[in-house]
Amino acid sequence: MFVADMTAWTAENIIIRMVAAIVLGAVIGIDRGAKRRGGGARTDAAVCLGAALVMMTGQYMEIRFPGASDMARLASQVVSGVGFLGAGSIIVSGHQVKGLTSAASIWICACVGLAVGIGFVDGAVLATFILLGGLHILPAVEERVYKHSRYVILNVEAVEGGSSAELLRRLKADGCKVDVFEVDKSGADIQSFTILTTIRIPRSLDQEEYIESLMEIIGILSIDSM
């Protein structure tokens, strides 16, 4: 413990744990909800309080029925079981996956709740504020790093023919490193198809100008970079 001992089974500690769980969960949820992402304050608060209650129930069982329960097993069931909520916040749109951070925040809400439920309140508070700090600081760091990255994901729409083979030949001829090259012909328009490719453009080439130059390949209708 860092500050105070909240592990003792007293009415005061139980109340503090429950209040701390719902407050910490709500804080994480409000932060995600303010960005119009995730389940929001109610979902995260409920997950956090529920996880805390599971741990307190395990402690209660250990006190009333010594040796007849396993708190670690109860905690593991919460950590694995909360996955269905996280899965519900993940959206797959085309070739993009959204909601992973929201799913992770729901999962960590359960972990915070477990920590609070067993009395490790100060550790849960510290983890919450570190999480919030990371969610606000890391996007700026990512933007700086990705800005200088030579890797780019291209979503190419093309028509039937040799355009996919010509695109691949052009990329390799220009010195691009091709990590992924997938052709999807499952669209409604049988005359066209989609190419999803991840490439590394050499530093000798201007990224925007090079992507525009790929439009010169016969059969390519559009190119979107991600």
Side-chain angles (χ1 to χ4, degrees):
M1 299 299 295
F2 300 142
V3 181
D5 186 4
M6 293 288 176
T7 59
W9 188 259
T10 64
E12 180 184 357
N13 281 353
I14 292 172
I15 293 172
I16 291 175
R17 292 186 206 177
M18 287 188 175
V19 172
I22 200 166
V23 169
L24 293 177
V27 168
I28 296 174
I30 288 172
D31 179 75
R32 300 302 299 160
K35 299 175 182 177
R36 301 296 187 268
R37 298 173 182 173
R42 290 175 294 178
T43 300
D44 287 353
V47 169
C48 198
L49 179 60
L53 182 60
V54 168
M55 285 305 291
M56 286 188 287
T57 301
Q59 186 179 6
Y60 175 79
M61 292 173 64
E62 185 64 30
I63 294 172
R64 293 297 302 271
F65 313 103
S69 64
D70 186 354
M71 286 189 290
R73 181 175 295 177
L74 286 173
S76 67
Q77 293 301 314
V78 172
V79 172
S80 59
V82 78
F84 79 94
L85 282 176
S89 65
I90 298 175
I91 300 173
V92 180
S93 177
H95 295 285
Q96 290 184 314
V97 179
K98 300 179 180 180
L100 290 175
T101 303
S102 298
S105 71
I106 293 174
W107 180 81
I108 200 171
C109 273
C111 297
V112 168
L114 292 174
V116 172
I118 201 59
F120 191 32
V121 178
D122 38 11
V125 172
L126 183 61
T128 298
F129 283 100
I130 289 176
L131 169 66
L132 295 179
L135 290 176
H136 286 272
I137 294 173
L138 289 177
V141 175
E142 285 181 329
E143 186 177 355
R144 283 179 172 269
V145 173
Y146 296 164
K147 184 178 180 180
H148 299 286
S149 174
R150 303 302 297 178
Y151 283 89
V152 63
I153 300 175
L154 300 180
N155 192 355
V156 183
E157 188 173 348
V159 294
E160 287 288 355
S163 52
S164 59
E166 177 60 23
L167 175 61
L168 184 59
R169 186 202 64 78
R170 170 75 179 274
L171 292 173
K172 292 182 176 181
D174 293 337
C176 296
K177 179 182 177 182
V178 181
D179 278 359
V180 176
F181 195 89
E182 299 176 352
V183 178
D184 182 8
K185 297 185 178 181
S186 60
D189 186 0
I190 60 175
Q191 297 300 321
S192 64
F193 58 94
T194 301
I195 303 170
L196 183 70
T197 179
T198 302
I199 63 173
R200 183 184 184 279
I201 300 175
R203 295 192 178 277
S204 58
L205 300 175
D206 182 89
Q207 186 167 302
E208 293 185 3
E209 291 182 359
Y210 180 70
I211 294 174
E212 289 182 3
S213 71
L214 296 177
M215 287 291 298
E216 299 171 358
I217 299 175
I218 298 176
I220 290 184
L221 303 178
S222 64
I223 299 179
D224 294 323
S225 60
M226 296 181 287

